Amino acid sequence: MMLPKQFTFDVDKTNQVISWIMHEQFINKDEAEQAREAIEALISSTFVKGACKVFADHRQLEETGKQARLPMETSQESGKLMAWLSEYCSSVAVICGSMMMQSQMNRLATSNGLDSKLKAFWASTPGKAVADAQAFLNITDNKLIKG
């Protein structure tokens, strides 16, 4: 399965971390569904169930000055991914581009049973959000995601 063009991925087998940077929103439900399926396939084929940590950076979604709000269909696919991650991952950290995005991610996590494993991070100082997320995941650095 092809990985979505909206993402840059890194797999750190030593620390059992899959990290990604999401560069742009999905155009439609099909695109979001294909992305969810590709991420699930990558994680399940690379890591033992329950051992993987996810480190996701969604800050670029808001670099244009607009706050990112997930369309309903995309939000539903994100919810499905979160429900799946709750079984397959030990922890999930998401770096957000705003407090609004952080609230939306935390709401999605709560409504999909991932609130005990997912934490969204935002800070006015980007390095702080990354450092806090790394501490949450119990890692000291990441090849892909930097402050």
Side-chain angles (χ1 to χ4, degrees):
M1 181 166 281
M2 255 180 68
L3 294 174
K5 65 179 170 56
Q6 292 89 346
F7 293 87
T8 302
F9 286 92
D10 181 67
V11 176
D12 177 353
K13 290 183 180 180
T14 303
N15 292 309
Q16 299 191 68
V17 175
I18 181 170
S19 54
W20 67 72
I21 297 173
M22 188 168 182
H23 302 288
E24 60 187 67
Q25 289 280 16
F26 298 113
I27 295 170
N28 57 45
K29 181 183 188 291
D30 291 340
E31 211 174 59
E33 185 177 354
Q34 290 170 359
R36 177 186 52 79
E37 290 171 354
I39 291 168
E40 290 172 359
L42 177 62
I43 291 172
S44 63
S45 67
T46 307
F47 299 102
V48 173
K49 185 176 180 178
C52 174
K53 300 173 187 176
V54 173
F55 193 13
D57 186 346
H58 292 192
R59 290 176 289 182
Q60 286 188 15
L61 297 177
E62 296 189 336
E63 281 191 354
T64 61
K66 297 180 180 176
Q67 290 198 336
R69 290 194 65 121
L70 294 176
M72 180 59 84
E73 292 177 333
T74 303
S75 182
Q76 289 171 344
E77 288 303 316
S78 294
K80 289 178 186 177
L81 177 61
M82 286 185 182
W84 185 87
L85 290 173
S86 70
E87 284 187 51
Y88 282 82
C89 297
S90 61
S91 53
V92 179
V94 181
I95 306 296
C96 299
S98 69
M99 282 190 286
M100 186 170 125
M101 181 189 281
Q102 180 186 27
S103 295
Q104 186 176 30
M105 293 302 296
N106 286 332
R107 180 188 52 78
L108 279 170
T110 299
S111 63
N112 290 286
L114 192 58
D115 53 322
S116 65
K117 295 182 181 184
L118 182 140
K119 185 161 182 173
F121 296 88
W122 177 84
S124 57
T125 307
K128 180 172 178 6
V130 172
D132 290 347
Q134 288 174 339
F136 174 73
L137 294 172
N138 198 28
I139 60 174
T140 56
D141 66 350
N142 184 268
K143 187 182 344 178
L144 183 65
I145 301 174
K146 304 291 181 193

